[in-house]
Amino acid sequence: GGIASRSTEVPFSSLSFYSDKTDCPIRVYFVIDTSESVALQTIPIESLVKLAKNFVHEFIRMLENEFYQGQVSMTWQYGGLHFSDVVKIYSTFTNDKNAYLKKLDDIQYIGRGTFTDCALSNMTAQILSNTAPGVNYAVVITDGHVTGSPCGGMKLQAERARDAGIKLFAVAPSRNIYEQGLREIASSPLELYRNNYTTTQKDGIDVDTSTAKRIIQKTKLMAPPPPKLSSDKDSGEETITFPHPIPVCIAPATSRMMSTAELPIGAYLYTFSFYKHVQKAIL
């Protein structure tokens, strides 16, 4: 028989590894480049810095705690620093949007050189100082250029952050960038963590809110398992089943919080055993 005209969506709670209510704390740390290589790209100067701040403002505004499918409690914390050849931490982790945004608004352009490696090193230390369970991300806003590497080099510090379980998104502040530098920062796969993210739209005037929306979605949910085609033995009717996306901090089969180092995130990153488990659960 042919494929049925209807399709079904597997109830989230029917997957056996969601037997318990689960907390899912998600932490996002912003690293904002306020050096001359960014600030002097436009006239008036600092306009790109202002747009980067506006981008983070919109990003934070979109974050909402939610109870996903009645099973997973997703909550947010955010912190951040900005940098040039010095690093200034403008906020430790908080869940107070108003307090965070006030500190963000107070950021002033620093200028001078660009020591991205030191910024990444400080970011990693700030994130790891919070030892509570959770999923850790960094959103690094920079053009990829550096003027010095007194902290061991940008590539080395990005690798150390990734080795610590931090997932790094690389976001450009404009179209005038050094792409290889951004790729050295971003986690793998680049299609997930770089993907032409930018704080500004092509006109260079307005904030690119689509980038913020895409990153937020990817910090919350993994791609769902592939659709499953099944057949009814009696009627011969075939039905396509579409599972729900999987929250990033759920460990299959154990209902425990995964450490960030073993977190399976993104399309095609499932282990074979995970894929088999999900397929078995949706049959």
Side-chain angles (χ1 to χ4, degrees), residues 141-164:
I141 303 172
T142 184
D143 59 5
H145 294 283
V146 300
T147 62
S149 302
C151 295
M154 181 171 67
K155 185 175 182 179
L156 172 66
Q157 291 300 339
E159 288 174 352
R160 286 181 174 175
R162 292 191 292 266
D163 288 345

Side-chain angles (χ1 to χ4, degrees), residues 6 19 26 33 41 73 84 109 114 121 131 139 150 162 186 239 251:
R6 61 182 173 81
S19 57
I26 305 173
D33 186 342
Q41 284 188 29
S73 177
S84 62
Y109 152 65
T114 311
S121 176
T131 58
V139 176
R162 292 191 292 266
T239 301

Side-chain angles (χ1 to χ4, degrees), residues 17-83:
F17 49 81
Y18 298 109
S19 57
D20 302 318
K21 298 291 189 295
T22 303
D23 290 329
C24 183
I26 305 173
R27 290 185 287 270
V28 182
Y29 200 89
F30 293 91
V31 178
I32 305 172
D33 186 342
T34 57
S35 68
E36 286 185 2
S37 70
V38 171
L40 298 185
Q41 284 188 29
T42 56
I43 297 175
I45 64 170
E46 300 186 47
S47 60
L48 286 180
V49 173
K50 183 178 180 181
L51 281 168
K53 289 164 60 176
N54 290 344
F55 171 83
V56 177
H57 195 289
E58 288 301 306
F59 193 111
I60 296 297
R61 187 184 61 80
M62 295 178 192
L63 299 181
E64 296 292 345
N65 295 343
E66 62 180 288
F67 201 44
Y68 182 71
Q69 294 293 321
Q71 292 286 317
V72 179
S73 177
M74 293 182 175
T75 56
W76 298 92
Q77 286 191 319
Y78 15 86
L81 62 80
H82 69 113
F83 73 97

Side-chain angles (χ1 to χ4, degrees), residues 28-30 32 56-57 60 78-81 90-105:
V28 182
Y29 200 89
F30 293 91
I32 305 172
V56 177
H57 195 289
I60 296 297
Y78 15 86
L81 62 80
Y90 65 85
S91 177
T92 55
F93 278 112
T94 180
N95 57 11
D96 186 331
K97 283 188 179 182
N98 291 332
Y100 182 87
L101 293 175
K102 184 180 185 305
K103 293 176 180 178
L104 175 70
D105 291 340

Side-chain angles (χ1 to χ4, degrees), residues 190-225:
L190 293 174
E191 292 80 3
L192 182 64
Y193 292 101
R194 174 66 191 105
N195 201 11
N196 296 318
Y197 297 132
T198 182
T199 62
T200 58
Q201 296 182 18
K202 289 184 178 180
D203 59 15
I205 299 173
D206 299 312
V207 169
D208 188 348
T209 55
S210 67
T211 287
K213 289 176 182 177
R214 285 191 293 152
I215 291 176
I216 290 170
Q217 186 67 12
K218 289 166 184 175
T219 60
K220 290 164 52 176
L221 301 172
M222 294 189 297

